[in-house]
Amino acid sequence: MTTVANDHIALDAAAQDLLFREAHTAHAFTDEPVSDEQIEAIYNLVKFAPTAMNQSPLRVVLVRTPEARERLVQHMSDGNKAKTAGAPLTAILAVDNEFHEHLPRLFPVYPNAKDFFTERPAREGSARLNGALQAAYFFIGIRAAGLAAGPMGGYDAEGLNKDFFADGKHSALAVVNIGKPGEGAFYPRGERLAYDEVVTSV
Amino acid sequence: MTTVANDHIALDAAAQDLLFREAHTAHAFTDEPVSDEQIEAIYNLVKFAPTAMNQSPLRVVLVRTPEARERLVQHMSDGNKAKTAGAPLTAILAVDNEFHEHLPRLFPVYPNAKDFFTERPAREGSARLNGALQAAYFFIGIRAAGLAAGPMGGYDAEGLNKDFFADGKHSALAVVNIGKPGEGAFYPRGERLAYDEVVTSV
């Protein structure tokens, strides 16, 4: 474990390692199951992280049955099929494009907030942006639970959406394998952009 | 501090509180400055969190000069002007829509990854999704640094983009105030959706 002191970070070093520095995307998993109780614990931790006007558009579909798993694998790109088939749990992270129906309850301070989203394109854009924030929180939550996440963007989105969200109300954002990392789980860490390439001042 | 045991979460309770359970979006800040060194420490922690093909499209503009701050405040919606003007530091979180130029270096395992993004609309969509993941990691990083984040989606995106990103290469995702919470910083926590409303199994 990396335990280099960082005077500007209040979070303890073990937590920095668990969530960021020692965490890696996993590409292979052990057979150890991931329970609904673990997912509930993750959700109940990360649900507090912010979205615009508390929109909370993320929806999670745990793909548990052999039949549903087989359908999902068929929508994954070739490089993602085997690892998805072999993961103890795979979740589809999607957004509810009708999230605005919940705003009177989730954001009562603006009773008319729902009216900002009468047009579907505006709703879709906001759901995608805020759902992606929540997907990121969820990935961090998986790591907080001592599990490894294998998020994937490589799938046939149109096919997956038609198959799993036939009502047209939901749109997939990402698919994520969840479990304990297995043999060969980790690839070498890719280079990250340097601070000066990312952060500028005006 | 909440210190309820959660058998399914490996992250220690103090870290859970710091990042999620006790953390709140801040709407007012003290005058205590936020240094570039603090932002660098945050970036160097959260840069490891995953994006698809290590795209890493997030770019951060720290709005430091009085002249730039004044310009930024003018693009904020009315409800966000005063708190932005009063924050010790405000950052524009944006994406680089030409992120694919870095892929040969960031994702060398697929030498042709750059070619997936020859069309600007595909690049913009991927930059926005993956940039939003990184924005979420950045918000968590602000909290990890013992600071409060005040992310805002309420601004004139077209005006802000024209003013701060005249080259058309970057697009704003969010604006975030950063600092120590001041008097009246926190509003009551909004209700969150229940687990059963968010997570389903198939």
Side-chain angles (χ1 to χ4, degrees):
Chain A
M1 299 284 274
T2 309
T3 50
V4 178
N6 185 335
D7 290 344
H8 295 294
I9 300 295
L11 186 70
D12 63 90
Q16 293 181 52
D17 287 343
L18 181 69
L19 302 184
F20 295 107
R21 291 192 304 209
E22 297 290 325
H24 282 261
T25 289
H27 301 275
F29 299 87
T30 70
D31 290 337
E32 188 176 321
V34 177
S35 68
D36 288 356
E37 290 70 25
Q38 285 174 288
I39 301 299
E40 186 164 1
I42 291 166
Y43 176 70
N44 283 329
L45 179 64
V46 302
K47 69 182 179 185
F48 296 119
T51 58
M53 296 193 289
N54 198 21
Q55 289 173 31
S56 309
L58 186 75
R59 303 294 180 268
V60 179
V61 179
L62 306 178
V63 184
R64 291 248 185 232
T65 65
E67 175 272 330
R69 293 186 61 83
E70 194 171 310
R71 278 161 50 210
L72 177 62
V73 167
Q74 287 176 356
H75 300 297
M76 303 307 294
S77 58
D78 286 345
N80 288 330
K81 284 184 198 294
K83 60 185 163 188
T84 301
L89 178 61
T90 305
I92 303 170
L93 304 190
V95 292
D96 179 355
N97 291 304
E98 307 297 325
F99 70 86
H100 66 311
E101 298 292 347
H102 297 285
L103 284 178
R105 177 178 144 216
L106 298 182
F107 201 62
V109 66
Y110 275 103
N112 301 327
K114 189 178 155 180
D115 300 338
F116 298 156
F117 300 101
T118 49
E119 304 291 332
R120 168 97 183 199
R123 286 207 301 280
E124 283 187 6
S126 197
R128 199 162 176 82
L129 180 65
N130 286 283
L133 297 179
Q134 290 187 287
Y137 304 143
F138 196 79
F139 299 153
I140 299 293
I142 291 168
R143 294 168 167 192
L147 298 169
M152 297 171 288
Y155 55 88
D156 168 15
E158 194 182 335
L160 189 156
N161 284 332
K162 275 190 188 159
D163 191 355
F164 284 88
F165 306 116
D167 62 2
K169 198 180 151 192
H170 298 85
S171 309
L173 276 182
V175 177
V176 57
N177 292 321
I178 307 170
K180 287 280 170 70
E183 197 172 331
F186 303 128
Y187 301 163
R189 170 94 77 197
E191 184 179 346
R192 295 310 195 253
L193 294 172
Y195 177 72
D196 292 346
E197 295 178 286
V198 172
V199 182
T200 53
S201 291
V202 293
Chain B
M1 299 284 273
T2 310
T3 50
V4 179
N6 185 334
D7 290 344
H8 295 295
I9 301 294
L11 185 71
D12 63 271
Q16 294 181 51
D17 287 343
L18 180 70
L19 301 183
F20 295 107
R21 292 193 303 211
E22 297 291 325
H24 282 261
T25 289
H27 301 275
F29 299 87
T30 70
D31 290 338
E32 189 176 321
V34 178
S35 69
D36 288 356
E37 289 69 25
Q38 287 173 287
I39 301 298
E40 187 164 1
I42 291 166
Y43 175 70
N44 282 329
L45 179 64
V46 302
K47 69 182 179 185
F48 296 118
T51 57
M53 295 193 289
N54 198 21
Q55 289 174 30
S56 309
L58 185 74
R59 303 293 179 267
V60 179
V61 179
L62 306 178
V63 183
R64 290 246 183 233
T65 65
E67 174 271 330
R69 292 185 63 82
E70 193 170 310
R71 278 162 49 211
L72 176 61
V73 167
Q74 287 176 358
H75 300 297
M76 303 307 294
S77 58
D78 286 346
N80 288 331
K81 284 184 197 295
K83 61 185 163 189
T84 302
L89 178 61
T90 305
I92 302 170
L93 304 190
V95 292
D96 179 355
N97 290 304
E98 307 297 324
F99 70 88
H100 66 312
E101 297 293 345
H102 297 284
L103 284 178
R105 177 178 144 216
L106 297 182
F107 201 62
V109 67
Y110 275 103
N112 301 327
K114 188 178 157 181
D115 300 338
F116 298 157
F117 301 101
T118 49
E119 304 293 331
R120 169 96 184 198
R123 286 207 301 280
E124 283 187 6
S126 196
R128 200 163 176 81
L129 180 65
N130 287 283
L133 298 180
Q134 290 187 286
Y137 304 142
F138 196 79
F139 299 153
I140 300 293
I142 291 168
R143 293 167 167 192
L147 298 169
M152 297 171 289
Y155 55 87
D156 168 17
E158 193 182 335
L160 188 157
N161 283 334
K162 275 190 187 161
D163 191 356
F164 284 88
F165 305 116
D167 62 3
K169 197 179 152 194
H170 298 84
S171 308
L173 276 183
V175 177
V176 57
N177 292 320
I178 307 169
K180 288 279 170 71
E183 199 172 326
F186 302 128
Y187 301 163
R189 171 93 75 196
E191 184 179 346
R192 295 308 195 253
L193 294 172
Y195 177 71
D196 292 345
E197 294 177 288
V198 171
V199 182
T200 52
S201 293
V202 292

